[in-house]
């Protein structure tokens, strides 16, 4: 009774719009899908057995896990030292390096995948160079191999590993390492015994995010891998395209989801903080799983790392003195990783100016013909315009709905909050092919397949999750006494929100809106499932081009998209990065 | 204080208020009256329910049972933003995105006061708190003491009938705190505003208040003027929470004392009421009203104007506080001393 009373007073109602959209587009269909997969109401595992009976399927299953483990391991091996070196750099160098890591993170996944096709292809950059120098006589088969898959996946996932690591490492008090050294620990021991354990939370966030993304990865393996490198997502997509045996497809989707869930709970066990470990063991109720839910929510917060980059500037970090050799090696390493992260985009931009009939590197003549081909072709400009419209609609809808939900969640008691947050975040924790299939059935019931509204709703469930993550992080730092103060001065609830809360959380809201737009603007997998054949977004058109014929126009499109992250960083800078005015420079009132 | 006691109109009344958080009672069956124009301080250790009491009064929490009346009307159904109170929060809660001027204008805007008058009133109050030159600063550009004064000004600017202070001086260093105590006192006098203050700092409570409410575990232990509270504490908790208290038990020295002690009480004496002499000095002439014991100095602390002795008497330790004066005997640890006090300085307090 008392709980009910409490519930009535809480603004939990603000989460209703978000939960309604989620339930209709994704929640109910995925439940129905699950029931279909077990042949409800008869309830049998025949579909799962059928899946596992085919050796090819089992091979894909293990391959998916294997590829994900290897890709995650490579990310770790490159990412950890990279994050350490970024953290140890001087303040200015660190800012530059961070921006250079964030740019690829914000760059379209399709564009980055396309860049590797251009570089690794049979008549791509590397083969052309080697052929023209006479080192080889026939092209090496670099692309459509496991190696190409790893190169592409690691390239895409590396920022996801580095950013949470840097954010945690920046928070480590450097004097702790100094203290360890003063107690006689040699540099490596000081690192191993003090720094590494303290960086474990970031390590875990990075591993978890990278691994879960890899499991559900579709685009990059499909574009760069050979026929034998299929991932589970590819298999499911093929099933959808060919047979559309719903029960079979549903079973495959739930097997993928199941692996992700198992891996999440294994990795989700708090390797890092032993503090919560004891308390969790002490609790014996059904809620015992919740702490790891909370850990998951915390890890997902790292998705918002670039947005939170502004906080990093506040913390000064002095690099310890080190010998010349190590400095040289470190610098070399950083340069190589940066080359790996940024070179592909540079190649695409340069090639987009080729004057010949085919793309070549370096271009023999320069022209803008591929750009004029882009702007002159209504099918390209139409797709771009469609994507912009959808992106803006998604950003507006999910920012409003997501901010309301985050505000409601913030004012709810913790147990309900972590449960609801977990539900709202499902669309970005589940593999996107699974979300896409669920959304397909959800929209089918509503008659929205192949409509703009349908695509906007599908994108919004993911975008709302990003907004909730980012706005919640901002609200967590918001001092609620400011609201009480406003109310004590006769400001009503609405006025309090408009005059005090909103201005103070605005950076988070803007960051959320930006991520919502990016999420929509770059989305292929779910869109391809729900778009029917009538709506063509830019990513869909690009994906089509990447898969079928390589129309060189795509280089121009990709180059234009590469410039977008610079725009996003500018937006982040303008909305979130503004330093609070200090005593010396009194800025005019920002809110008048 | 005299003129106030003549008016004695009731401004705030707590009527048997209980506040539960789940199974835990933060405030139990609390009844309390605050007179118009009075400065009332709620004093207690952390977890005593004093902040909850303030939050109930402010309207940020609703009582589980009982009623709160302001100016004779129940405010149970009145949300915080219609209660017309000025509040100074513990961390000041100045809006970080607004200048000092805009912060001060906020309560006036919410009351629909016109821009020209707002400016005039802000100018007036800024002058009153000596911050006229700071009106275009952001709160983060002010020192702690300046922020405190802005917070006070913001709470007072709309002339609310009630002012609530939540640990108002907790964040300030010692010098600043004394300065602000004077400032708050003079503002209270000028505005004649009914003020309820919450603190755990006994010195702050004694200096500022007309009356003090001592709370423990959600209940009121005693309500009285600072002097009465210090001089005649109702029980052992109040005695030792407000100042230092020597509990005289098992000293086995005075039958006369034991005879007059009501059953179930403790005999208590304040450290500054005890005089300390060399052990070989004879008793004073009026020995009849005095009681004395001998003991050994355990420790001596020199604290500027005071010298504090800890004296072992039998199994107990007694605290003695002596004002430093010229020609005084100074005792060192190990010295034998005689302690004397007037039997009229002994208080019997409940357990």
């Amino acid at each position: 009774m008392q709980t009910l009373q409490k519930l009535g007073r809480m603004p939990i109602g603000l989460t209703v719009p978000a939960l309604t959209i989620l339930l209709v587009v994704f929640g109910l269909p995925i439940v129905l899908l699950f029931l279909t997969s077990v042949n409800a109401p008869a309830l049998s595992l025949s579909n799962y057995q059928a899946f596992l009976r085919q050796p090819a399927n089992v091979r894909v299953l293990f391959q998916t896990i294997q590829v994900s483990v290897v890709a995650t391991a490579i990310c770790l091996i490159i990412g950890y030292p990279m994050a350490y070196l970024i953290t140890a750099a001087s303040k200015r160098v660190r800012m530059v390096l961070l921006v250079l890591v964030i740019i690829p993170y914000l760059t379209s996944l399709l564009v980055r995948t396309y860049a590797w096709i251009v570089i690794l292809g049979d008549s791509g950059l590397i083969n052309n160079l080697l052929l023209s120098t006479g080192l080889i006589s026939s092209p090496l088969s670099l692309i459509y191999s496991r190696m190409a898959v790893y190169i592409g996946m690691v390239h895409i996932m590396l920022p996801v590993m580095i950013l949470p690591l840097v954010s945690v490492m920046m928070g480590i008090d450097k004097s702790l390492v100094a203290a360890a050294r003063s107690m006689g620990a040699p540099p490596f021991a000081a690192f191993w015994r003090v720094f590494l354990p303290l960086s474990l939370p970031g390590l875990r966030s990075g591993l978890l995010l990278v691994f879960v993304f890899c499991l559900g990865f579709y685009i990059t393996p499909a574009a760069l891998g050979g026929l034998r490198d299929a991932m589970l997502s590819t298999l499911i997509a093929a099933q959808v395209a060919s047979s559309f045996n719903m029960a079979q497809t549903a079973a495959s989707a739930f097997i993928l989801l199941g692996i992700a869930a198992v891996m999440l709970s294994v990795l989700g066990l708090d390797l890092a903080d032993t503090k919560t470990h004891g308390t969790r063991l002490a609790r014996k109720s059904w809620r015992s799983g919740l702490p790891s839910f909370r850990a998951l929510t915390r890890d997902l917060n790292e998705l918002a790392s670039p947005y939170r980059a502004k906080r990093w500037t506040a913390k000064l970090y002095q690099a310890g003195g080190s010998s010349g050799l190590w400095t040289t090696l470190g610098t070399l390493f950083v340069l190589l990783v940066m080359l790996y992260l940024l070179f592909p985009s540079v190649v695409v931009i340069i090639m987009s100016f080729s004057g010949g009939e085919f793309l070549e590197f370096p271009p023999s003549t320069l022209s803008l013909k591929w750009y004029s081909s882009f702007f002159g072709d209504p099918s390209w400009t139409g797709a771009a315009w469609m994507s912009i419209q959808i992106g803006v609609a998604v950003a507006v809808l999910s920012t409003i709905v997501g901010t309301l939900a985050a505000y409601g969640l913030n004012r709810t008691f913790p147990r309900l909050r972590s449960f609801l947050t977990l539900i709202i975040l499902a669309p970005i924790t589940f593999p996107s092919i699974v979300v896409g299939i669920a959304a397909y059935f959800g929209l089918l019931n509503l008659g929205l397949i192949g409509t703009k509204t349908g695509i906007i709703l599908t994108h919004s469930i993911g975008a709302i999750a990003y907004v909730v993550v980012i706005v919640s992080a901002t609200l967590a730092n918001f001092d609620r006494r400011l609201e009480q103060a406003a109310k004590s001065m006769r400001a009503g609830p609405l006025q309090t929100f408009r005059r005090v809360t909103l201005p103070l959380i605005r950076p988070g809201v803007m960051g959320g809106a930006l991520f919502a737009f990016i999420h929509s603007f770059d989305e292929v997998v779910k869109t391809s499932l729900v778009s029917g054949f009538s709506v063509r977004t830019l990513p869909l058109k690009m994906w089509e081009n990447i898969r079928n014929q390589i129309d060189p126009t795509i280089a121009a499109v990709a180059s234009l998209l590469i410039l977008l992250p610079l725009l996003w960083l500018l937006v982040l800078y303008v909305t979130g990065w503004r330093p609070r005015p200090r005593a010396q420079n009194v800025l005019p009132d920002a809110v008048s | 204080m005299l003129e106030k006691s003549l008016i004695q109109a009731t401004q705030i009344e707590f009527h048997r208020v209980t506040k539960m958080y789940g199974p835990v009672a933060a405030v139990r069956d609390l009844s309390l009256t605050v007179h118009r124009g009075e400065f009332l301080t709620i004093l207690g250790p952390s977890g005593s329910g004093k902040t909850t009491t303030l939050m109930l009064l402010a309207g940020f929490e609703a009582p589980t049972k009982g009623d709160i009346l302001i100016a004779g009307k129940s405010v149970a159904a009145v949300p915080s933003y219609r209660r017309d109170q000025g509040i100074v929060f513990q961390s000041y809660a100045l809006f970080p995105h607004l200048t000092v001027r805009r912060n001060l204008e906020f309560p006036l805007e919410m009351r629909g006061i016109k821009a020209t008058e707002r400016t005039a009133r802000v100018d007036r109050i800024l002058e009153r708190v000596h911050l006229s030159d700071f009106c275009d600063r952001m709160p983060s550009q002010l020192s702690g003491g300046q922020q405190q004064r802005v917070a006070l000004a913001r709470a007072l600017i709309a002339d609310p009938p009630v002012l609530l202070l939540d640990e108002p001086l907790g964040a300030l260093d010692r010098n600043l705190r004394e300065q602000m105590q004077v400032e708050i006192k003079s503002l209270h006098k000028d505005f004649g505003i009914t003020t309820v203050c919450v603190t755990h700092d006994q010195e702050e409570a004694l200096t500022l208040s007309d009356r003090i409410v001592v709370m423990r575990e959600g209940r009121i232990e005693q309500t009285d003027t600072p002097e009465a509270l210090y001089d005649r504490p109702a029980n052992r908790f109040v005695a030792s929470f407000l100042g230092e208290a020597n509990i005289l038990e098992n000293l086995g020295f005075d039958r006369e004392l034991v005879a007059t002690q009501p059953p179930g009480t403790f005999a208590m004496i304040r450290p500054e009421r005890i005089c300390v002499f060399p052990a070989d000095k004879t008793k004073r002439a009026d020995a009849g009203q005095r009681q004395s014991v001998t003991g050994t100095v355990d420790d001596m602390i020199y604290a500027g104007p005071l010298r504090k002795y800890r004296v072992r008497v039998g199994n107990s330790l007694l605290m003695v506080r002596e004002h430093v004066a010229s020609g005084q005997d100074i005792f060192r640890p190990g010295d034998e001393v005689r302690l004397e006090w007037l039997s009229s300085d002994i208080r019997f307090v409940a357990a």
Side-chain angles (χ1 to χ4, degrees), chain B residues 199-256:
Chain B
T199 185
H200 65 269
D201 182 325
Q202 38 159 314
E203 191 197 316
E204 198 174 303
L206 290 171
T207 320
L208 292 173
S209 327
D210 294 325
R211 281 194 306 153
I212 299 175
V213 176
V214 181
M215 283 187 78
R216 176 170 65 153
E217 288 168 8
R219 282 184 230 271
I220 293 181
E221 294 282 318
Q222 191 176 359
T223 308
D224 223 320
T225 60
E227 236 181 299
L229 211 57
Y230 187 77
D231 197 41
R232 293 184 296 279
N235 57 41
R236 198 174 163 168
F237 172 78
V238 176
S240 46
F241 188 70
L242 209 67
E244 273 179 298
N246 290 305
I247 302 295
L248 303 173
E249 36 182 1
N250 306 324
L251 292 182
F253 61 93
D254 214 317
R255 301 218 158 268
E256 179 194 348

Side-chain angles (χ1 to χ4, degrees), chain A residues 242-265:
Chain A
S242 60
S243 67
F244 233 79
N245 176 341
M246 199 160 103
Q248 289 271 311
T249 312
S252 317
F254 277 98
I255 286 171
L256 176 57
L257 192 55
I259 298 172
V262 167
M263 291 300 174
L264 265 181
S265 54

Side-chain angles (χ1 to χ4, degrees), chain A residues 525-538:
Chain A
V525 180
K526 291 172 246 176
T527 318
S528 68
L529 286 164
V530 301
S531 64
F533 293 100
S534 41
V535 187
R536 273 281 158 274
T537 65
L538 191 60

Side-chain angles (χ1 to χ4, degrees), chain B residues 82-317:
Chain B
R82 298 231 178 78
R83 288 202 184 182
D84 213 7
Q85 294 163 331
I87 304 182
V88 176
F89 290 81
Q90 192 172 4
S91 54
Y92 313 137
L94 298 177
F95 300 131
H97 58 305
L98 302 179
T99 58
V100 168
R101 176 174 290 281
R102 304 271 307 193
N103 260 287
L104 292 174
E105 277 188 36
F106 193 92
L108 302 176
E109 274 180 70
M110 292 302 136
R111 286 166 171 82
I113 292 169
K114 275 199 260 61
T116 47
E117 192 187 340
R118 288 205 304 256
T119 312
R121 281 173 80 163
V122 170
D123 288 342
R124 214 180 312 143
I125 201 144
L126 277 172
E127 204 165 314
R128 176 65 186 79
V129 295
H130 320 294
L131 282 174
S132 299
D133 298 338
F134 297 87
C135 66
D136 292 323
R137 295 265 183 104
M138 298 308 265
S140 58
Q141 298 170 306
L142 301 178
S143 71
Q146 290 165 337
Q147 291 185 16
Q148 163 77 59
R149 276 183 279 163
V150 174
L152 264 170
R154 193 177 64 171
L156 290 168
I157 194 166
D159 279 326
V162 175
L163 175 67
L164 308 181
L165 308 172
D166 184 7
E167 305 267 2
L169 306 175
L172 301 180
D173 61 49
R174 198 182 165 79
N175 277 340
L176 215 48
R177 206 180 300 175
E178 275 168 19
Q179 220 173 308
M180 285 309 300
Q181 279 175 4
V182 176
E183 179 103 28
I184 289 179
K185 201 145 192 178
S186 103
L187 279 169
H188 175 248
K189 209 173 122 201
D190 289 4
F191 283 79
I193 185 173
T194 311
T195 306
V196 177
C197 173
V198 154
T199 185
H200 65 269
D201 182 325
Q202 38 159 314
E203 191 197 316
E204 198 174 303
L206 290 171
T207 320
L208 292 173
S209 327
D210 294 325
R211 281 194 306 153
I212 299 175
V213 176
V214 181
M215 283 187 78
R216 176 170 65 153
E217 288 168 8
R219 282 184 230 271
I220 293 181
E221 294 282 318
Q222 191 176 359
T223 308
D224 223 320
T225 60
E227 236 181 299
L229 211 57
Y230 187 77
D231 197 41
R232 293 184 296 279
N235 57 41
R236 198 174 163 168
F237 172 78
V238 176
S240 46
F241 188 70
L242 209 67
E244 273 179 298
N246 290 305
I247 302 295
L248 303 173
E249 36 182 1
N250 306 324
L251 292 182
F253 61 93
D254 214 317
R255 301 218 158 268
E256 179 194 348
L257 174 71
V258 177
T260 52
Q261 183 168 359
T265 61
F266 291 92
M268 184 279 288
I269 188 159
R270 296 288 185 192
E272 67 275 14
R273 301 283 183 179
I274 303 178
C275 302
V276 54
F277 303 104
D280 49 7
K281 242 184 194 173
T282 47
K283 285 191 180 183
R284 288 203 176 172
D286 52 351
Q289 297 165 27
R290 286 185 174 253
Q291 297 167 332
S292 82
V293 289
T294 51
T296 318
V297 174
D298 193 60
D299 195 12
M300 188 271 277
I301 297 166
Y302 173 74
L306 292 173
R307 211 172 259 125
K308 298 174 181 175
Y309 292 104
R310 196 166 66 200
V311 182
R312 182 169 293 282
V313 182
N315 287 329
S316 335
L317 287 171

Side-chain angles (χ1 to χ4, degrees), chain A residues 233-557:
Chain A
S233 291
T234 332
L235 182 92
I236 296 171
Q239 276 182 330
V240 172
S242 60
S243 67
F244 233 79
N245 176 341
M246 199 160 103
Q248 289 271 311
T249 312
S252 317
F254 277 98
I255 286 171
L256 176 57
L257 192 55
I259 298 172
V262 167
M263 291 300 174
L264 265 181
S265 54
V266 170
L267 269 176
L269 286 178
D270 282 335
L271 302 172
D273 44 2
T274 44
K275 261 178 278 165
T276 57
H277 197 62
T279 53
R280 195 174 61 219
L281 285 177
R283 254 180 270 172
K284 292 244 161 91
S285 64
W286 62 273
R287 288 184 223 107
S288 57
L290 279 185
S292 60
F293 287 175
R294 216 166 292 141
L296 172 62
T297 321
R298 196 180 56 219
D299 295 328
L300 278 163
N301 279 335
E302 296 301 341
L303 288 172
S305 291
Y307 154 68
R308 290 187 295 152
K310 64 177 173 122
R311 278 207 258 132
W312 298 337
T313 55
K315 299 169 188 162
L316 257 170
Y317 197 96
Q318 285 297 325
S322 46
S323 70
L325 176 68
W326 283 105
T327 314
T328 316
L329 279 178
T331 313
L332 204 64
F333 180 78
V334 170
L335 286 177
L336 276 176
V337 175
M338 283 304 172
L339 189 70
Y340 174 53
L341 281 178
L342 298 171
F343 182 64
S345 298
V346 175
V347 170
V348 169
I349 291 178
I350 294 175
M351 289 220 291
S352 69
F353 292 106
S354 322
E357 275 309 299
F358 302 100
L359 294 175
E360 31 176 14
F361 189 91
S364 46
T365 55
L366 293 177
S367 84
L368 289 173
K369 62 192 278 194
W370 305 119
Y371 288 91
S372 55
S373 144
F374 169 72
F375 286 108
D377 183 347
S379 76
W380 276 112
T381 52
W385 177 231
M386 176 65 76
S387 273
I388 291 171
Q389 281 175 302
I390 290 176
V392 169
V394 167
V396 170
L397 175 70
S398 51
T399 304
I400 295 171
V401 170
T403 303
L404 287 178
Y407 193 81
L409 288 172
N410 184 253
R411 302 297 140 100
T412 302
F413 43 99
R415 220 169 276 155
L416 185 61
R417 173 166 59 225
S418 49
F419 177 68
L420 287 180
T421 307
L422 198 72
I423 290 181
I424 287 177
L425 296 189
I428 54 174
T429 40
F430 284 22
S432 52
I433 189 96
V434 178
V435 179
I437 292 172
Y440 174 81
F441 288 113
L443 296 180
L444 201 61
N445 294 337
L446 299 172
L448 287 174
I449 291 294
T451 63
K452 256 201 270 185
T453 318
I455 295 177
I456 290 169
L457 284 175
T458 309
H459 290 179
S460 289
I461 56 172
I464 288 170
Y466 279 101
V467 174
V468 167
V469 167
I470 294 170
V471 176
S472 293
T474 315
L475 277 172
N477 294 328
F478 175 75
D479 183 2
R480 277 174 73 176
R481 256 174 304 197
L482 294 173
E483 285 184 347
Q484 294 187 335
K487 284 184 181 159
S488 77
M489 289 177 256
R490 312 214 73 170
L494 257 177
Q495 263 172 321
T496 303
F497 184 77
R498 199 173 58 81
R499 296 287 304 271
V500 176
T501 317
L502 192 58
L504 287 169
I505 65 167
R506 188 158 50 198
V509 175
M510 299 303 279
L514 179 63
F515 268 78
F517 183 84
I518 293 174
H519 175 76
S520 162
F521 201 69
D522 195 27
E523 162 48 46
V524 196
V525 180
K526 291 172 246 176
T527 318
S528 68
L529 286 164
V530 301
S531 64
F533 293 100
S534 41
V535 187
R536 273 281 158 274
T537 65
L538 191 60
L540 277 185
K541 173 122 176 115
M542 287 170 69
W543 180 231
E544 223 167 60
N545 256 282
I546 289 174
R547 299 214 85 177
N548 304 326
Q549 20 89 230
I550 303 281
D551 169 5
T553 309
I554 195 176
V557 183

